Amino acid sequence: MTERPAQPDPMLVVNNLCVAFPDRNGGWVDAVRNVSFTLGRERLGIVGESGSGKSQTGRAIMGLTAPGGRVSATELAFNGVDLLRCGTQERRALRGGRMAMVLQDPKFSLNPVMTIGAQIVETLRAHQEVSASVARNRTLQALEAVQIDDAQRVYKLYPHEVSGGMGQRAMIAMMLIADPDLLIADEPTSALDVTVQLQVLSILDTLVAQRGMGLIFVSHDLRLVSTFCDRILVMYAGRVIEELHSGDLASARHPYTQGLLNCLPQLGQSRHPLPTLNRQPQWAV
Ligand SMILES: Nc1ncnc2c1ncn2[C@@H]1O[C@H](COP(=O)(O)OP(=O)(O)OP(=O)(O)O)[C@@H](O)[C@H]1O
Ligand SMILES: [Mg+2]
């Protein structure tokens, strides 16, 4: 484990982040609207329904917004670096190095024509000067750290030769190889069965606790986020409608969050008829 230089806290400052995409009629559709938050060496969860802007928030921070998309903010700073004004090269050096993102679908993130081992080695050597043999050993260790038992074999496999869950873990190994300060994990456990899901969460937990990493954990699963994260942002229609400490979920004030909580199954309670969430048009304003 390498000693880290002192970094400003909070490491990430996001003020009034907006992301918009062109629509077919020459106008713009707002995907993210005035999102503001800060992140220290902690676990921040972002929850919200499909299309609420969770992934686009993460992508904008990483500089991975799709071409044509428009990103603006009054402040977007990482470890004191102004992300809106830094050049493409500086951005690229940060990505995969000091900041990394596990994308929602690992199929699109792994290179199909390179073995898993070779691409993790390449990521490491793009950010740190290490010899080929050190890179290979660190890659094997990284694969073992995400609970891939036969790391030597998986190292030599191509992405299409591994299961979805194993691909997702290989992706997490690749994102952690350069020892980032900030990891954005977008639904990192959605393709995993419950036992492996818990293992992956415990790996991320250790990294936050032992290496002082900041984690943004994106999920639609309010229960998972509330047990795993310190703080939660609830998004709806591109906005953060509520920010809560995980322990304070019961005192959520926004009717959308209250509705989500009400829909969670509870042990020992009859759920007939099943509760549904009645969305109100004014929530999206
Ligand atoms: N390339 C794009 N062009 C146009 N609109 C886009 C593009 N990418 C995303 N959007 C829109 O931005 C909005 C937010 O999408 P985003 O992917 O952030 O949702 P999400 O909260 O991550 O949802 P999910 O839980 O389904 O992953 C959606 O309305 C989506 O249609
Ligand atoms: Mg998403």
Side-chain angles (χ1 to χ4, degrees):
M1 218 167 291
T2 47
E3 195 61 35
R4 279 158 192 267
Q7 302 289 2
D9 202 30
M11 71 173 83
L12 181 70
V13 181
V14 179
N15 266 323
N16 293 309
L17 175 69
C18 298
V19 181
F21 292 98
D23 69 11
R24 295 218 174 93
N25 309 316
W28 292 86
V29 188
D30 294 321
V32 176
R33 303 188 293 160
N34 291 94
V35 165
S36 302
F37 64 93
T38 59
L39 179 81
R41 297 176 191 286
E42 57 178 328
R43 295 158 302 184
L44 174 73
I46 302 185
V47 285
E49 60 192 0
S50 187
S52 57
K54 306 179 298 294
S55 296
Q56 290 305 326
T57 300
R59 282 178 164 273
I61 294 166
M62 292 296 294
L64 290 174
T65 303
R70 185 176 68 186
V71 178
S72 68
T74 50
E75 187 176 9
L76 190 60
F78 171 67
N79 282 343
V81 177
D82 180 348
L83 295 175
L84 291 170
R85 275 165 204 84
C86 74
T88 323
Q89 275 205 314
E90 199 179 346
R91 267 283 194 172
R92 201 172 291 148
L94 281 175
R95 244 191 331 260
R98 298 264 63 94
M99 62 201 304
M101 180 166 178
V102 178
L103 293 174
Q104 198 164 358
D105 192 337
K107 278 201 292 293
F108 298 116
S109 321
L110 295 170
N111 182 342
V113 295
M114 250 177 128
T115 62
I116 299 226
Q119 46 196 305
I120 300 179
V121 162
E122 187 180 80
T123 306
L124 175 59
R125 296 188 86 188
H127 295 283
Q128 292 178 17
E129 274 183 39
V130 290
S131 69
S133 65
V134 168
R136 184 187 151 79
N137 284 335
R138 280 196 38 197
T139 296
L140 289 169
Q141 281 166 9
L143 289 172
E144 281 160 13
V146 290
Q147 312 282 331
I148 292 179
D149 299 330
D150 42 359
Q152 301 268 1
R153 184 180 70 89
V154 173
Y155 186 101
K156 294 186 217 131
L157 297 179
Y158 287 90
H160 73 271
E161 294 174 316
V162 299
S163 68
M166 205 178 271
Q168 203 153 17
R169 277 180 284 166
M171 176 76 205
I172 294 171
M174 184 154 89
M175 290 306 130
L176 293 174
I177 192 83
D179 204 10
D181 291 325
L182 166 67
L183 179 72
I184 302 176
D186 192 355
E187 306 268 5
T189 57
S190 54
L192 307 176
D193 65 60
V194 179
T195 48
V196 182
Q197 192 179 70
L198 289 175
Q199 285 170 353
V200 170
L201 289 179
S202 100
I203 294 161
L204 294 177
D205 208 25
T206 310
L207 291 164
V208 175
Q210 293 185 350
R211 307 201 310 198
M213 192 177 78
L215 175 72
I216 298 179
F217 185 84
V218 175
S219 173
H220 57 267
D221 187 336
L222 183 59
R223 193 195 295 280
L224 182 69
V225 167
S226 65
T227 50
F228 181 62
C229 295
D230 309 303
R231 258 189 318 138
I232 306 172
L233 303 180
V234 184
M235 288 190 73
Y236 189 85
R239 282 190 198 283
V240 173
I241 51 153
E242 188 145 35
E243 181 173 346
L244 289 159
H245 281 278
S246 306
D248 300 339
L249 262 191
S251 51
R253 286 165 59 177
H254 196 281
Y256 171 68
T257 322
Q258 289 171 348
L260 278 185
L261 286 168
N262 186 40
C263 291
L264 292 178
Q266 282 161 19
L267 277 180
Q269 272 194 15
S270 163
R271 298 253 99 183
H272 294 291
L274 279 173
T276 49
L277 188 62
N278 292 319
R279 292 164 179 76
Q280 306 294 321
Q282 66 268 26
W283 296 353
V285 175

